[in-house]
Amino acid sequence: MDDDHDSLMPELVVGAFVLGEAMSSDLQAKPPELTRRKPDSFCTALRWGCARIPGAVTGKVRRLSTLSPLWWTRRAGMMRRPSMDEAVGLLESELEAGGRGLADLDTEDAWSAYLRFGRRLFDVSGAPDADGLLFQYGIYSFNGPAAFTLSLTRQFQVTDGQGDHDHFVQVECELQYGFAPALQALGSFDSWFFHGAGDDLDEWARGLSGRAAWTTIRTFKPARIRVCQEQV
């Protein structure tokens, strides 16, 4: 009996090898769409039901179904775009981010805060001019006596129930400087940026800060800074 068993071993080994080769060839012959591959992004991981969790140990993968409701709530908050009704509060938060009041800010402080505010995307319509930034200066009398004023404005388009234009809402950081001759000599200027137009915000900002006029304006401390919102 032992001799018969030993004599079958080579045949079993060969048979197992042939079967393994056949199975391997059969797997390779499957269409590409049936070949499952490792997720290579968070979006792909969503489809596969697993994702790498920010802050987790490198290499650890967890099923999305095991994530706590708190994790999902925080994630949704990070991805949510604020409404235009929150714009004034967010602009004021950026201006006061360093713990100083508006009266303590210089021109560069206000400009940096405005750009941080400008990089934040809001929940607006998909129209190219639905969300715009306006940089303008000149002798204006928006509220009170005429003075050289730098206006840093965010404009949102408001649509009606059919999705058509209804009006604009402007959120403005207004810097007033008085009547310094060097500022009056600059005349007036304005420049627009729209998030929906495909332009680069940082490139727009560099172009403005590279102007000779900005070199003059930034050396003056505003006599007054005001944040306001109006419908136009």
Side-chain angles (χ1 to χ4, degrees):
M1 176 66 81
D2 292 340
D3 292 341
D4 293 340
H5 181 271
D6 292 340
S7 65
L8 290 175
M9 287 300 295
E11 296 180 7
L12 291 174
V13 171
V14 172
F17 175 80
V18 172
L19 178 60
E21 286 292 303
M23 292 177 65
S24 176
S25 299
D26 182 59
L27 287 174
Q28 294 177 5
K30 289 183 178 181
E33 61 270 15
L34 297 181
T35 302
R36 296 174 65 117
R37 63 187 180 86
K38 182 179 179 181
D40 55 4
S41 70
F42 185 79
C43 292
T44 303
L46 286 175
R47 295 194 296 271
W48 282 69
C50 62
R52 294 191 181 278
I53 311 305
V57 178
T58 302
K60 297 292 184 180
V61 177
R62 292 172 55 188
R63 301 287 301 182
L64 293 181
S65 58
T66 67
L67 298 178
S68 69
L70 178 58
W71 187 89
W72 282 111
T73 301
R74 289 175 176 173
R75 185 77 182 180
M78 293 169 59
M79 298 171 64
R80 183 187 71 86
R81 291 188 178 187
S83 70
M84 63 185 74
D85 294 333
E86 302 173 75
V88 169
L90 291 171
L91 175 55
E92 290 175 337
S93 295
E94 292 294 354
L95 289 166
E96 298 170 355
R100 294 182 294 169
L102 296 181
D104 299 323
L105 302 180
D106 59 26
T107 301
E108 285 282 7
D109 293 330
W111 174 237
S112 298
Y114 174 70
L115 290 179
R116 292 195 301 271
F117 170 69
R119 293 187 183 96
R120 185 187 291 269
L121 298 180
F122 284 77
D123 183 15
V124 297
S125 71
D129 59 348
D131 185 358
L133 279 71
L134 171 62
F135 173 100
Q136 65 177 341
Y137 61 77
I139 304 296
Y140 303 121
S141 57
F142 293 136
N143 294 276
F148 183 88
T149 303
L150 171 62
S151 174
L152 306 174
T153 304
R154 184 87 176 250
Q155 176 174 281
F156 301 104
Q157 181 190 51
V158 179
T159 56
D160 59 21
Q162 285 70 46
D164 298 324
H165 171 78
D166 187 82
H167 62 274
F168 289 110
V169 170
Q170 291 187 340
V171 176
E172 179 185 12
C173 176
E174 182 183 287
L175 292 76
Q176 297 181 354
Y177 294 87
F179 283 102
L183 294 176
Q184 294 186 59
L186 297 178
S188 60
F189 171 83
D190 64 81
S191 177
W192 281 95
F193 170 87
F194 290 97
H195 278 289
D199 297 324
D200 183 77
L201 175 59
D202 290 331
E203 184 176 342
W204 176 74
R206 284 193 296 271
L208 293 173
S209 59
R211 292 174 56 86
W214 178 251
T215 303
T216 301
I217 296 172
R218 65 188 294 269
T219 60
F220 287 85
K221 189 178 186 303
R224 181 190 182 199
I225 298 180
R226 188 176 73 99
V227 175
C228 60
Q229 176 178 314
E230 63 179 343
Q231 178 178 321
V232 296

